[in-house]
Every structure is written in structure tokens, then in C-alpha cells.
Amino acid sequence: MTMPEHVTPWHDARYDMPVSQQLERYNELAAKNASARARIELLARGIYDSARHGADDRPPLTAAEHIELLALAECIARTVRHPSNVHHALLAGVTWADIARVVDSDELTVRRDYQLWADGRHDLNQHYPDRGMTADEHASATARVAEGAGDAR
């Protein structure tokens, strides 16, 4: 199997497309992949029945399609698992313990990841004042991280 000339990293692959369209394309490729693999498995077991399973050929994904599937999966995961979701949950009154439980992590890790995200947003604001977190917003986020942190250890 030869690899495509240019392998697109996840952040360049379909990132300009709404997540709903990313999911549609991902589902299309995943279904094509599952169908082709099922046919191969049935043939290998000697139980393929064209009347029951369909007579049409189901070619496997190309290398480029596998790359696209991987890139889409990563892009979707990073989009829907965005740290801003933690931020908005905290602003709505959700506790660190609840967030950690929901994301199957521990409070210290969730707090650290949130602080890193807030630091990045503040750095962004330093370069682009109309974006990211202002100094006051960053201070509030940092205070939020520290709130009850001793209880989480």
C-alpha cells in the first residue's frame, strides 16, 4: 500500500467544515470501511451469500481515505472535547469533581488542563486584543482553578 504524497494533519483536514459535516463524512467513510471489512470476513469464512449479503463489490478504503478518516476522527474529537466546554460548565456552577467524573479523569488533571487552556487564551489576547481572555478573565480563571484545590489532593 502506498501512502498519499501529502498527508494532511488533523488541524488542516476539514477543519473549515462544520462539525456536523465532518460527522457526515466520517460516518460515510466508516460505513464504507465496515461494509468492505464485513464482506472480506464473510468471504474468508466461506459464508458469503450474494443473495443475502448483496452481490455488489465493496472495495476497501484507499490509503487516502484511511488518512481522511483518521484526520476527521481527530478533528471531531478535538472540536467536541474543546476546553471551552469545561469553562462554560464552571461558569454555570458545575463543580470540578463533577467535571472530573464526567470526563473520566481526576480533578488535578482537569484543573491543570483548564489552566493551560486559560493561559493559552490569555496569550492569544496579548497578541490579538479582540480575542482570547483579558487579564481580568484570566485572573478569574486562575482563581477558579485554585478554588478548593487543596480538597482535590
Side-chain angles (χ1 to χ4, degrees):
M1 175 182 286
T2 60
M3 293 304 293
E5 273 185 40
H6 174 71
V7 176
T8 304
W10 73 267
H11 50 76
D12 292 336
R14 309 285 183 159
Y15 203 64
D16 59 336
M17 168 186 302
V19 74
S20 60
Q21 288 179 1
Q22 292 172 16
L23 284 165
E24 284 177 28
R25 178 63 177 154
Y26 176 87
N27 287 335
E28 176 186 325
L29 289 171
K32 179 181 175 184
N33 190 37
S35 180
R37 290 182 174 280
R39 184 173 192 269
I40 291 167
E41 181 67 26
L42 292 171
L43 285 168
R45 291 182 182 183
I47 57 173
Y48 183 78
D49 176 6
S50 61
R52 181 175 176 204
H53 302 114
D56 56 324
D57 188 31
R58 293 177 217 131
L61 295 182
T62 64
E65 288 172 322
H66 276 289
I67 291 295
E68 184 182 5
L69 185 67
L70 288 168
L72 282 165
E74 189 62 23
C75 192
I76 292 164
R78 288 178 185 235
T79 299
V80 299
R81 194 179 52 234
H82 197 276
S84 65
N85 293 326
V86 171
H87 178 69
H88 295 295
L90 289 167
L91 293 177
V94 178
T95 67
W96 286 108
D98 287 339
I99 292 169
R101 189 171 30 264
V102 166
V103 301
D104 195 26
S105 187
D106 60 86
E107 285 188 50
L108 294 175
T109 300
V110 173
R111 288 171 189 264
R112 183 201 65 221
D113 292 348
Y114 177 76
Q115 184 67 62
L116 290 171
W117 173 78
D119 292 347
R121 300 295 296 165
H122 183 250
D123 290 345
L124 178 66
N125 183 262
Q126 299 305 298
H127 295 92
Y128 303 97
D130 61 324
R131 300 179 190 154
M133 282 187 172
T134 64
D136 289 342
E137 291 168 330
H138 183 255
S140 294
T142 299
R144 228 176 268 115
V145 170
E147 268 177 25
D151 304 336
R153 292 184 182 153

